[in-house]
Amino acid sequence: MKPWIGLAALLVSSFAHASPELAKLHYLTEDYKPYNYADEAGKPTGFAVELLKLIWQKTNTPEQPVTIMPWARGYYLLTQKPNAVLFSTARTQARDPLFKWACPIGYAEIVLVGLAEHKINITKLDDAKAFNIGAVRADVGEQLLLNNGFDETKIIAANRLSQALKMLTSGRVDMVSTNKTTMEQQILEQQLDPAKFKEQWQLSSEQFCYAFSHPVSDDLVKEFQNGLTQVLAGSEYPLLHNKYFPAPAAK
């Protein structure tokens, strides 16, 4: 067999096994830099969005629309629609049985952040229960607080992290529960001095994943996971990761 004939047969076989079902899913996300957000033209972009596009390439799936919405709305739709994919979703113990998963997009430290000038002293998690804490509604930061027995009346919900940060700087809340990396990005976005903020406690370290509505078939999730695994092992992934998470410059 000539080499080009063998290659052609391989490509035909690959496309023959491509499922059109991945193109029937509704892909949902939120404004959560650097993982997913709208660029200056309003188009979805970010690390997880570009990673998703590479997965579509690996699975021979035409590029699909990605809808950006407040996290609570996307999370609600994930529980109600039979064909939704929500990202970037922290795979916590409480969430694990609720959805189906393709992982990892990355890993996140979920922390409590306060203003350095307030001199908050937390030596154990229960100490934090005395404070008012901001969190994005239905986000992992809020859910971890509730799962750990925090009083819901002391958890002040926001639609977006940018709003939660403004609640912190205005004194409405004492701390914000959120992803460390994304909080750092928000501080820079709002042109604030990072030195004025302090990490007070680490709540958890979680995988960020693509979460699928439970009715999505196991085979379809497996196909998506196979595409993700191929991307993670490929040469494009280190370049993409370095684009959004560049290594610190040597001192």
Side-chain angles (χ1 to χ4, degrees):
M1 180 184 293
K2 295 181 179 180
W4 67 267
I5 295 178
L7 177 60
L10 180 63
L11 290 173
V12 169
S13 174
S14 176
F15 277 90
H17 287 86
S19 169
E21 298 303 310
L22 287 177
K24 296 180 181 180
L25 298 175
H26 292 179
Y27 296 88
L28 312 174
T29 192
E30 67 165 334
D31 184 4
Y32 200 71
K33 281 189 174 181
Y35 297 94
N36 19 262
Y37 59 96
D39 63 16
E40 294 180 355
K43 295 182 179 179
T45 190
F47 177 73
V49 174
E50 291 200 43
L51 184 62
L52 176 60
K53 291 179 179 180
L54 292 175
I55 296 168
W56 285 334
Q57 292 176 18
K58 294 295 184 183
T59 56
N60 303 313
T61 304
E63 192 166 311
Q64 300 299 304
V66 173
T67 304
I68 296 177
M69 60 181 62
W71 181 258
R73 176 65 176 167
Y75 193 83
Y76 172 76
L77 291 177
L78 184 65
T79 66
Q80 301 299 315
K81 291 174 67 68
N83 59 345
V85 184
L86 181 66
F87 65 96
S88 302
T89 308
R91 187 176 184 175
T92 64
Q93 184 176 1
R95 287 175 174 176
D96 190 72
L98 303 178
F99 312 114
K100 295 179 181 178
W101 304 88
C103 305
I105 293 172
Y107 298 84
E109 294 178 65
I110 311 303
V111 298
L112 298 177
V113 177
L115 296 176
E117 64 183 14
H118 286 174
K119 310 297 182 184
I120 294 173
N121 183 30
I122 299 177
T123 59
K124 58 183 182 301
L125 183 57
D126 279 353
D127 293 341
K129 294 179 180 180
F131 299 94
N132 291 323
I133 302 176
V136 175
R137 186 176 285 106
D139 180 69
V140 61
E142 180 189 58
Q143 293 182 347
L144 284 173
L145 295 178
L146 294 171
N147 293 344
N148 280 285
F150 280 67
D151 183 348
E152 63 269 20
T153 65
K154 298 184 75 66
I155 302 173
I156 314 303
N159 287 328
R160 293 178 174 83
L161 182 56
S162 58
Q163 296 172 350
L165 177 54
K166 289 178 180 178
M167 290 194 298
L168 177 62
T169 57
S170 68
R172 186 179 173 193
V173 298
D174 302 299
M175 293 180 286
V176 172
S177 177
T178 188
N179 174 17
K180 179 178 179 178
T181 301
T182 306
M183 185 63 158
E184 292 171 345
Q185 185 82 43
Q186 274 297 321
I187 289 170
L188 296 176
E189 285 283 311
Q190 295 190 25
Q191 299 182 331
L192 301 172
D193 181 2
K196 292 185 177 181
F197 300 86
K198 181 181 178 181
E199 178 185 329
Q200 300 290 349
W201 193 263
Q202 180 174 320
L203 289 169
S204 181
S205 180
E206 307 289 350
Q207 275 190 329
F208 271 161
C209 304
Y210 298 94
F212 295 74
S213 304
H214 217 277
V216 176
S217 73
D218 291 345
D219 287 344
L220 196 59
V221 176
K222 183 179 180 181
E223 180 183 350
F224 188 98
Q225 178 68 68
N226 287 341
L228 172 56
T229 301
Q230 290 179 52
V231 173
L232 295 178
S235 59
E236 310 104 316
Y237 180 75
L239 298 175
L240 176 61
H241 191 274
N242 190 59
K243 175 181 176 180
Y244 288 97
F245 305 98
K251 294 184 179 180

